[in-house]
Amino acid sequence: MKVFNLIETDSDITIEVRGEIGGGWWNEGVTYAKVAAQLKGAVNSKKKVTVKINSLGGDVDEALAIYELLLSMGDRVTTICEGRCASAATIIAMGGHERLMSRYALFLVHKCWSGVVGNENVLEEELAAQRAINDRLAQIYIDRTGSTRETIEELMNRFNGDGVWLNVEKAMEYGFITGQMPEEVKPADSDYLKEKIKDMFKFKNHKEMKKSITTLALLCAVLACQEVEAKDNKALLDDEQLGKINDRLKELEDKVTAAESKATEAENKLAQALKDKKDAEDKANDLQKKVDEKQAIIDKTPSSATQTPGSETKTEKSFEDSWKDSDTYKEACAELGVEP
């Protein structure tokens, strides 16, 4: 696909900007020279000019020059943002008297980037240059949108200066565009939906069946939110809608897979927790058994005893006292944590 294309009729000129803004030995991007050469005959004519943009940006200097050229042609210029219009490409988009955007497109403004190598003085000069460029870019957005400087600078500064993607509603709310492109709908075969339904009857187990049913439900939800019409067993979709639906289905299926993975992980953790609880209970029962055994030894101590015949001990000592002096009794008391 050409990054720059021209379509000219007797009444109008359409320029397609499909790639990087700027050019050099490494690429053949969209440059001011190319645009100016194609519009040379239209500048002084009454031909209408439409600029279709699908670009992630590039060289700011080239974009500013193209913007000035389009702006000089007044109300004959219409810019249309398709796909993704970002960075320097948004400056070109601002050159249109009428600025349109597809409902599926995205729009991004941010602070400028650059690369520099050098000492402290060089870095400070580059920083000053960047600030000046950011100020000029912001002023263009302010002039064309009618928004305040605070609003535009806050938008450019989001995500540490990398900006944020805007859908058609937000881009219109900020004033970057003046309207939404009318939709071109054409019949498209609904084979994808048919195949998904057929797949429901090929499952091997309950889990696979559940996933197939979930996928079908998600498919129906996506189709509904896309406001798809049907006629003669055909879904009325254009290529861009089909792409959006397939991308959304993949995204939702990935979320289902991730949720199932988390559920399995949670089940494994629960099983391990139950096992740990069982092990702890078994250990506690073993300790209690030992406690009961030691307590039984203490409980068997008799209340009195007589001296063994023939003993020459002068002072009588009961069996209970003798038992308490024994090592076995002391060891049992120590294990139970009581005084002998």
Side-chain angles (χ1 to χ4, degrees):
M1 181 180 68
K2 294 182 179 179
V3 297
F4 179 80
N5 191 35
L6 175 75
I7 303 171
E8 185 171 5
T9 67
D10 293 336
S11 60
D12 57 53
I13 296 176
T14 298
I15 293 176
E16 294 180 336
V17 177
R18 302 300 190 204
E20 185 176 353
I21 310 302
W25 61 268
W26 67 91
N27 67 45
E28 296 182 357
V30 180
T31 64
Y32 166 78
K34 290 180 180 180
V35 177
Q38 298 297 340
L39 293 180
K40 185 177 181 180
V43 171
N44 298 321
S45 72
K46 296 183 178 180
K47 286 187 177 183
K48 293 184 177 181
V49 176
T50 300
V51 183
K52 294 184 176 182
I53 306 167
N54 182 3
S55 169
L56 293 178
D59 192 306
V60 174
D61 292 337
E62 294 287 348
L64 287 172
I66 295 171
Y67 163 75
E68 294 281 4
L69 176 61
L70 297 178
L71 198 65
S72 68
M73 301 179 69
D75 60 5
R76 290 187 291 125
V77 178
T78 298
T79 54
I80 302 175
C81 298
E82 302 175 325
R84 288 191 290 178
C85 180
S87 193
T90 65
I91 298 299
I92 297 177
M94 293 298 99
H97 176 75
E98 183 178 19
R99 302 182 298 278
L100 305 179
M101 183 172 170
S102 165
R103 66 173 295 186
Y104 306 109
L106 291 171
F107 193 94
L108 172 71
V109 297
H110 65 84
K111 288 190 173 181
C112 68
W113 289 5
S114 67
V116 62
V117 176
N119 59 32
E120 179 182 0
N121 294 342
V122 174
L123 296 177
E124 287 181 349
E125 288 178 0
E126 179 61 23
L127 180 59
Q130 281 209 18
R131 285 172 174 163
I133 293 172
N134 286 328
D135 179 73
R136 290 301 86 198
L137 298 180
Q139 191 60 55
I140 290 174
Y141 295 136
I142 293 167
D143 293 343
R144 303 302 285 162
T145 66
S147 295
T148 65
R149 175 168 289 275
E150 290 76 16
T151 298
I152 295 300
E153 289 184 346
E154 187 276 332
L155 190 61
M156 293 174 64
N157 199 46
R158 288 189 189 179
F159 290 100
N160 201 31
D162 288 338
V164 61
W165 289 103
L166 304 177
N167 59 23
V168 62
E169 290 81 9
K170 283 294 183 181
M172 191 180 302
E173 179 182 326
Y174 280 107
F176 291 111
I177 63 172
T178 59
Q180 179 178 313
M181 276 291 294
E183 297 178 44
E184 296 180 2
V185 180
K186 62 182 180 180
D189 201 347
S190 56
D191 288 341
Y192 183 77
L193 179 59
K194 293 176 183 177
E195 289 301 317
K196 280 296 179 181
I197 295 175
K198 289 180 182 178
D199 287 343
M200 288 185 62
F201 300 96
K202 298 178 182 179
F203 50 82
K204 299 177 181 179
N205 50 54
H206 175 73
K207 185 175 182 180
E208 188 174 320
M209 178 187 71
K210 181 180 178 182
K211 186 173 182 179
S212 294
I213 294 174
T214 302
T215 301
L216 179 63
L218 293 174
L219 176 62
C220 293
V222 172
L223 289 174
C225 74
Q226 291 292 333
E227 299 179 358
V228 177
E229 298 180 1
K231 183 178 181 181
D232 298 330
N233 294 323
K234 297 287 185 178
L236 298 180
L237 301 171
D238 58 27
D239 293 337
E240 193 168 11
Q241 282 178 310
L242 284 172
K244 287 283 184 178
I245 289 173
N246 287 330
D247 292 344
R248 181 59 175 160
L249 280 170
K250 180 63 170 60
E251 177 186 345
L252 294 173
E253 287 177 346
D254 289 344
K255 288 183 178 180
V256 170
T257 301
E260 290 177 346
S261 177
K262 288 184 178 180
T264 301
E265 182 181 352
E267 290 175 357
N268 292 337
K269 287 183 178 180
L270 177 59
Q272 184 61 45
L274 293 175
K275 183 179 181 300
D276 293 343
K277 179 183 177 184
K278 180 66 168 56
D279 292 343
E281 289 175 347
D282 291 343
K283 187 175 181 180
N285 290 335
D286 290 342
L287 292 174
Q288 185 60 48
K289 186 176 179 181
K290 290 181 180 180
V291 170
D292 293 342
E293 290 174 353
K294 298 301 180 182
Q295 186 65 48
I297 294 173
I298 296 175
D299 293 342
K300 288 180 180 180
T301 303
S303 59
S304 61
T306 58
Q307 185 178 3
T308 305
S311 174
E312 297 180 356
T313 303
K314 294 182 180 181
T315 304
E316 292 186 359
K317 192 174 184 180
S318 68
F319 180 80
E320 180 178 353
D321 293 336
S322 298
W323 168 246
K324 290 184 176 179
D325 290 336
S326 69
D327 293 336
T328 300
Y329 178 83
K330 291 178 180 178
E331 290 175 1
C333 291
E335 291 189 22
L336 294 174
V338 298
E339 292 294 327

